[in-house]
Amino acid sequence: MQLSEKKEPDKGLPALEGAEGGVVMRFAPNPNGPPTLGSARGIIVNSEYVKKYGGKFIIRFDDTDPVKKRPMPEAYGWYLEDCRWLGAKPDMVITASERVEQYYPIAEELIRRGGAYVCGCAQAEFKEHKDRGIECQHRGRSVEENLDLWQRMLDGTVAEGEAVLRVKTDMHHKDPAIRDWPAFRIVTAPHPLVGDKYRVWPLLDFESAVEDHLLGTTHIIRGKDLADSGSRQRYLYEHLGWQYPRVIHWGRIKIHQFGSFSTSKLRKAIEAGEYSGWDDPRVPTVRAMRCRGIRAEALRKFMIDLGVGETDISISMDSIYAENRKIIDPEANRRFFVWEPVALEIEGDVPALAHAPLHPAIDRGVREIPAGNRLFICKSDLAGLKAGEGVRLKDLCNIEIISTEPARARFAGKDVGKRTKIIHWAPADGPKVRVLRPDGMDDGVGEAGISQELGRVVQFERYGFVQVNSVSEPIVAYFAHR
RNA sequence: GCUCCGGUAGUGUAGUCCGGCCAAUCAUUUCGGCCUUUCGAGCCGAAGACUCGGGUUCAAAUCCCGGCCGGAGCACCA
């Protein structure tokens, strides 16, 4: 064996074996909802390898179950949209349900080579055989007989549930999960995309294996739940004389802030009205991240740092937020937003107008905010104040509290003092603002300038970063992070 | 039950293949300090890990055996 020199701490993704001449890689979702953060990992890492080595990145919709994993017609487009947004525009997009035609001749060839047989066992019956390692009576059928039965599956003579096409592996394989697996079954229910064009549908192991070959896939990265799939598919490849791609598995990803989630569970919750939609800030979809002002670059960096370990991991959004903060902090204008607003009456010469910088470190000019003798401050800030105490209203003036109930104060000069407590405020006639958060919502009052920030990420001072998504009354912003 | 696969700080990750340069990398997190007209950013500092037990070896996170813990698969789902 050749010794490779000690590699320097490699940034980014670990090297892929056999990738030097370029790679063909795919991400193959079932489109039954929009991409989640879990999908984002698959999209980002696969496409990143293609960027690194050159080659082709393919999105393949594995939508071959019209019933149990019923695809959602809108979701196909959502995937492409989110891929593009994630900086992972596919070089090729294919949809399995539109390519079933191509699978039939391969099935036939497989039968000719003696690699598959039509099996009429009932499901439970076959499971029994499988568990005990016994070959069923159908396994010994001749090629001719199998071809004939296959035809009858296709032409409708054989009814749904009465037969499957099974790939021969080894009924004595030590792992029962690998023994003769089904490649095609009959489904008469219409498919949401192609209707009743086909009645014989491939199962994932067959469809995926065949497509990987047809597309020239060189490397597969997939969840370890599909680890046994490889062992099954290798038999198919052997029968057909194909070469199996290299495979990497990764563990399941859980996110502290969202717990474990699945697209189908989300779908149910959304249909039940628990969430406002697929971009609700409480939901772990790519589009929700986008609406909250999370940048694709932050997601990419994070997912690439995760690498491709086989352990199940439990991550925290904090790391994504930290990445994102680095990106948006310089871009985001500062604005005042007062949650749980309390009116404060101030006596004296409070300036009628405040001048506050749009950004504390980068000179982008100032914003003018109407002030005066009546302002809003946060209830929690008021709670921390006592009569007689001095405090500075940020970018405006100093005040001295007269009483907290009712909230009254008097003007105490404009000079910025040393180490005085500083709080922010909002004008008496400021617009209502609602912030939707992953953990609830905050209602309050903001400065009028927020309505100029539609579609942009801003920092509500002393609150956090948000994206302004609607500027009609009330203004609606989605919370990103602190 | 059967069959696979994993286990490095709170979280993730590098190092494991090919033992020494590892009293273990980076990020995040938490806590201090400085700075600051934000509880943000920045700067400085600190905290915190090789699952356990044996074995091999001059030398083990790294190799071997066993235990423990965790995960996955065992569908006419993807």
Side-chain angles (χ1 to χ4, degrees):
Chain A
M1 184 178 268
Q2 194 74 9
L3 259 69
S4 64
E5 63 284 9
K6 287 275 182 191
K7 44 211 158 186
E8 68 292 353
D10 200 10
K11 272 281 117 199
L13 257 12
L16 263 191
E17 248 173 86
E20 298 73 27
V23 295
V24 176
M25 298 181 69
R26 81 315 194 269
F27 179 68
N30 174 26
N32 59 351
T36 61
L37 285 173
S39 328
R41 187 185 188 192
I43 292 166
I44 289 167
V45 169
N46 276 290
S47 67
E48 184 67 17
Y49 270 125
V50 173
K51 276 183 191 160
K52 178 169 173 173
Y53 291 108
K56 218 175 348 174
F57 172 57
I58 300 168
I59 290 289
R60 187 184 74 215
F61 293 110
D62 283 351
D63 58 346
T64 52
D65 193 320
V67 180
K68 294 189 184 164
K69 288 274 162 91
R70 179 160 241 264
M72 204 174 163
E74 312 92 295
Y76 296 79
W78 291 344
Y79 263 93
L80 303 184
E81 192 185 314
D82 285 352
C83 279
R84 210 166 304 128
W85 180 76
L86 284 168
K89 192 170 182 297
D91 301 298
M92 186 190 267
V93 178
I94 68 159
T95 304
S97 62
E98 289 167 347
R99 289 160 62 92
V100 174
E101 213 83 67
Q102 301 187 45
Y103 308 148
Y104 292 157
I106 292 168
E108 220 176 286
E109 174 64 18
L110 185 65
I111 295 169
R112 282 216 172 79
R113 291 179 178 230
Y117 59 98
V118 174
C119 175
C121 289
Q123 217 168 320
E125 192 184 349
F126 189 83
K127 181 173 167 42
E128 182 80 18
H129 289 156
K130 189 172 71 171
D131 288 344
R132 310 218 325 244
I134 307 168
E135 306 186 349
C136 77
Q137 73 226 24
H138 312 112
R139 199 178 203 264
R141 289 207 247 247
S142 70
V143 168
E144 289 67 34
E145 209 176 341
N146 276 318
L147 283 173
D148 179 55
L149 284 164
W150 170 245
Q151 269 317 311
R152 287 160 62 174
M153 282 174 73
L154 291 172
D155 69 21
T157 322
V158 179
E160 182 165 5
E162 284 191 351
V164 296
L165 184 73
R166 227 175 253 294
V167 174
K168 275 189 202 170
T169 64
D170 175 357
M171 287 308 280
H172 306 294
H173 195 286
K174 63 178 174 174
D175 184 355
I178 310 305
R179 298 172 189 165
D180 291 12
W181 49 273
F184 285 88
R185 85 301 208 185
I186 299 167
V187 183
T188 51
H191 186 282
L193 222 59
V194 299
D196 51 11
K197 194 167 170 191
Y198 308 108
R199 73 187 306 266
V200 178
W201 285 91
L203 286 132
L204 180 74
D205 279 330
F206 185 91
E207 179 271 330
S208 175
V210 166
E211 284 294 4
D212 282 333
H213 174 75
L214 295 178
L215 299 170
T217 308
T218 59
H219 300 258
I220 299 169
I221 304 179
R222 63 182 168 209
K224 68 177 181 183
D225 50 322
L226 261 29
D228 288 345
S229 228
S231 312
R232 284 192 287 264
Q233 293 173 338
R234 277 172 210 278
Y235 280 91
L236 178 68
Y237 272 63
E238 244 170 72
H239 288 311
L240 295 166
W242 297 346
Q243 212 206 334
Y244 203 74
R246 293 174 196 259
V247 190
I248 296 174
H249 292 113
W250 55 26
R252 215 176 154 70
I253 180 168
K254 231 184 250 163
I255 302 176
H256 297 325
Q257 287 82 347
F258 294 109
S260 51
F261 51 85
S262 72
T263 306
S264 42
K265 254 168 72 182
L266 280 179
R267 189 170 170 178
K268 251 177 225 143
I270 287 168
E271 280 163 5
E274 280 173 51
Y275 302 117
S276 63
W278 290 104
D279 57 2
D280 188 294
R282 290 167 293 184
V283 139
T285 57
V286 171
R287 46 205 42 227
M289 296 302 132
R290 186 168 20 153
C291 284
R292 289 171 54 190
I294 306 296
R295 294 296 161 80
E297 260 322 301
L299 252 21
R300 290 192 70 90
K301 169 93 165 48
F302 176 77
M303 295 299 177
I304 288 165
D305 279 353
L306 281 189
V308 286
E310 208 159 322
T311 342
D312 290 343
I313 55 175
S314 182
I315 58 166
S316 168
M317 288 299 291
D318 286 349
S319 300
I320 295 176
Y321 295 158
E323 274 324 316
N324 200 56
R325 189 149 42 223
K326 288 174 195 157
I327 301 169
I328 63 179
D329 179 65
E331 300 172 6
N333 284 335
R334 269 51 175 175
R335 298 287 183 182
F336 285 157
F337 162 66
V338 170
W339 56 100
E340 286 196 279
V342 179
L344 175 69
E345 304 291 342
I346 311 165
E347 301 169 0
D349 298 328
V350 178
L353 202 59
H355 297 269
L358 279 165
H359 192 281
I362 302 162
D363 186 15
R364 281 206 290 267
V366 297
R367 54 202 215 263
E368 294 188 335
I369 311 166
N373 295 87
R374 187 182 143 82
L375 302 170
F376 285 115
I377 63 172
C378 288
K379 189 178 171 189
S380 53
D381 281 332
L382 181 66
L385 292 168
K386 292 191 285 286
E389 200 173 342
V391 67
R392 176 156 184 92
L393 295 174
K394 189 163 189 287
D395 301 310
L396 183 64
C397 67
N398 306 315
I399 55 170
E400 189 192 311
I401 302 297
I402 298 171
S403 73
T404 55
E405 198 130 1
R408 301 188 58 81
R410 75 172 63 88
F411 175 74
K414 290 196 242 181
D415 294 342
V416 178
K418 263 274 175 227
R419 314 230 168 257
T420 49
K421 187 171 184 176
I422 297 164
I423 63 172
H424 70 293
W425 50 277
D429 63 347
K432 287 194 173 26
V433 177
R434 165 168 289 184
V435 180
L436 300 180
R437 310 170 52 102
D439 54 358
M441 93 173 53
D442 282 316
D443 281 309
V445 179
E447 56 175 89
I450 296 170
S451 54
Q452 295 161 25
E453 304 274 10
L454 181 61
R456 303 190 55 194
V457 173
V458 309
Q459 188 197 60
F460 285 168
E461 295 199 43
R462 301 177 69 230
Y463 182 77
F465 293 91
V466 303
Q467 178 164 297
V468 179
N469 287 332
S470 161
V471 293
S472 56
E473 282 274 330
I475 290 170
V476 177
Y478 281 21
F479 187 74
H481 48 74
R482 287 197 64 85

